[in-house]
Amino acid sequence: MKLAVVGATGLVGSEILEVLDEHNFPYDELLLVASERSVGKQIEYKGKTHTVIGLADAVAAKPEIAIFSAGGSTSLEWAPKFAEAGTTVVDNSSAWRMDPSKKLVVPEINAKELSKEDKIIANPNCSTIQMVLALEPLRQRYGIKRVVVSTYQSVTGTGKAAVDQMMAERAGEEPEMVYPYKIDMNVLPHIDVFQPNGYTKEEMKMINETKKIFSDDSIAVTATTVRIPTMGGHSESVNVEFKTDFDLAEVRNLLTKTSGVVVQDDPEKLLYPMPIHAHKKDEVFVGRLRRDESQANTLNMWIVADNLRKGAATNAVQIAEYLLANKLV
Ligand code: 2RA
């Protein structure tokens, strides 16, 4: 089984390699693929020296699966070429997520919808994945009317240059500015570009992707996505109104039983999810569970996950694992 990792030299690409190693992913041959400027670069991985190849050579090699994290324009141009050659693409960019002919997959929720015909599969936005995974068992049990989410997103979601800006500011050096403002000791209520309706693209991704993954346009979603100077993961304050009343103990039990979710919720012991504890973990962590006393049938939750892991690399690798396990490639 030949596996290609496209964008292997990026922040998410290197996380994908880590996850593949931790999961003992059963490839026979691994192709590390990047843009022309990185072709020929040598990467040490699992005791072997890999030479980075270009996209055309990778297509010609006909890998069974190609996991992409190379930006939307590269995915738009190259994912169809891989698909035509018989490769199944799992793409981390936003390029295909809202394409009605493409599946948007969180394996624990909707991998069962996948078939051999799906040659380009979209990985949802990191901030969407962690939220819908935690909401799914509650949606199944109580039905969801409305979701209000505010996010606190790590600079790693922007990429290495953003991390470098934050660390330079923190060291008192003159940073290479990625953001329009200083990020350290600050928060930016601005992730991706502003839309005519006043929302940012990141906020619209959470709204639209949530409806698509749940296959339910009746769910009302509103989002405010915020960049904060931290590493380790994205945090989200979620207020969810159900169609029926709920029992808090049952909510806790449903979440505890959900694969990929860990409940960390004991305020008396100061137990609640934080990015410093989620970093490099594959799970989604949920805490601060409490009834919204201002509105019937409504629950407050705090959801944290490593955005480079379950938010990107781990979810993509899990999709690839599902494809193999179900003989869809
Ligand atoms: C971010 N979710 O955090 C976006 C893309 N990774 O910037």
Side-chain angles (χ1 to χ4, degrees):
M1 189 269 162
K2 208 180 287 182
L3 173 71
V5 177
V6 179
T9 55
L11 214 49
V12 172
S14 44
E15 203 76 28
I16 289 168
L17 294 178
E18 275 189 42
V19 173
L20 288 170
D21 185 13
E22 288 174 20
H23 286 216
N24 292 314
F25 193 88
Y27 56 76
D28 303 306
E29 187 182 350
L30 179 66
L31 306 176
L32 301 189
V33 190
S35 61
E36 283 314 307
R37 69 173 182 279
S38 299
V39 168
K41 193 174 170 186
Q42 310 257 296
I43 295 181
E44 289 305 312
Y45 177 64
K46 293 180 70 174
K48 212 178 143 204
T49 304
H50 292 263
T51 304
V52 174
I53 63 173
L55 283 149
D57 288 346
V59 171
K62 295 183 183 293
E64 279 81 359
I65 298 175
I67 301 179
F68 269 60
S69 184
S73 53
T74 300
S75 292
L76 282 172
E77 181 184 354
W78 287 93
K81 290 173 180 166
F82 275 94
E84 260 157 58
T87 298
T88 299
V89 171
V90 180
D91 177 39
N92 264 290
S93 83
S94 57
W96 304 100
R97 290 178 186 155
M98 297 316 293
D99 181 320
S101 69
K102 301 295 182 288
K103 303 254 171 65
L104 184 61
V105 177
V106 178
E108 297 90 338
I109 298 176
N110 59 358
K112 52 192 173 303
E113 292 169 14
L114 288 170
S115 71
K116 282 180 185 278
E117 284 61 52
D118 293 305
K119 302 306 283 181
I120 298 176
I121 301 163
N123 210 45
N125 192 38
C126 42
S127 47
T128 305
I129 291 174
Q130 65 186 73
M131 182 176 80
V132 295
L133 182 56
L135 285 177
E136 173 63 359
L138 310 181
R139 179 182 76 92
Q140 292 285 348
R141 174 68 180 80
Y142 305 112
I144 292 179
K145 274 178 77 173
R146 183 171 187 250
V147 178
V148 181
V149 53
S150 297
T151 73
Y152 309 78
Q153 299 182 219
S154 163
V155 289
T156 56
T158 308
K160 187 179 176 310
V163 175
D164 292 346
Q165 177 186 330
M166 179 184 75
M167 299 313 279
E169 289 176 22
R170 202 161 287 183
E173 294 154 9
E174 207 41 51
E176 195 79 20
M177 293 300 279
V178 172
Y179 297 118
Y181 300 101
K182 282 193 175 301
I183 186 61
D184 202 30
M185 310 292 279
N186 191 18
V187 294
L188 292 184
H190 171 195
I191 297 179
D192 210 328
V193 295
F194 280 100
Q195 303 299 291
N197 66 355
Y199 284 74
T200 61
K201 259 178 114 173
E202 183 79 357
E203 288 156 353
M204 294 315 297
K205 284 176 186 176
M206 291 196 78
I207 292 165
N208 295 326
E209 291 176 22
T210 298
K211 293 168 185 264
K212 180 168 179 178
I213 292 163
F214 287 155
S215 305
D216 187 349
D217 283 339
S218 76
I219 296 178
V221 184
T222 190
T224 302
T225 58
V226 178
R227 188 72 68 195
I228 64 169
T230 189
M231 308 279 281
H234 290 350
S235 305
E236 298 176 347
S237 171
V238 173
N239 177 276
V240 52
E241 181 185 1
F242 299 120
K243 291 181 178 170
T244 65
D245 196 4
F246 62 90
D247 173 82
L248 204 48
E250 184 181 48
V251 163
R252 202 182 301 278
N253 187 34
L254 288 168
L255 288 166
T256 302
K257 288 192 305 188
T258 300
S259 170
V261 172
V262 174
V263 176
Q264 293 177 329
D265 190 35
D266 188 343
E268 281 177 21
K269 294 188 182 130
L270 303 183
L271 179 65
Y272 35 70
M274 295 180 285
I276 55 171
H277 293 156
H279 190 211
K280 292 291 181 192
K281 303 270 192 346
D282 286 332
E283 294 83 5
V284 170
F285 299 88
V286 182
R288 300 299 321 279
L289 295 165
R290 63 204 188 282
R291 187 175 288 278
D292 175 350
E293 293 171 350
S294 70
Q295 179 173 281
N297 305 337
T298 305
L299 174 74
N300 286 318
M301 309 166 76
W302 178 251
I303 304 170
V304 176
D306 185 332
N307 52 294
L308 297 180
R309 286 272 170 140
K310 184 54 182 175
T314 305
N315 198 71
V317 169
Q318 287 170 334
I319 292 171
E321 287 167 338
Y322 183 90
L323 293 170
L324 287 182
N326 292 275
K327 298 181 176 39
L328 299 181
V329 293

